[in-house]
Amino acid sequence: MRGAGRAVSPIIGGRAVKGPTAKIMTELGRPATAAAVAQLYVDLLDGYVIDHADAHDAAAVTNLGIPIAPAHTLMRTLEDREALARHVLATADALPKKTA
């Protein structure tokens, strides 16, 4: 059974937003894409927010059985942070609830 995990992709347009994610993906022999990250966590995710810049990865992620919710994910301002937080919470609320 898939976990009840939701995530925001750490990749935007093939680059890591912060930290070594893109470098690690390359070292693992995987592309630095939102879809490749989702593949690594497929058994844990039941929802995934990707940046609009990665819309080309949408089909690959949904083919894994993970619903996506595209958004502007680069947080440069307080308003960006608040908007993304609202989007993530709304996305999580819209997902089917898991029962134990």
Side-chain angles (χ1 to χ4, degrees), residues 6-8 46-49 67-71 81-97:
R6 286 81 184 207
V8 176
D46 64 357
Y48 193 45
V49 177
I68 61 155
R81 290 180 187 95
E82 291 172 347
L84 182 58
R86 281 191 297 276
H87 183 76
V88 169
L89 290 172
T91 298
D93 283 345
L95 290 169
K97 304 301 181 233

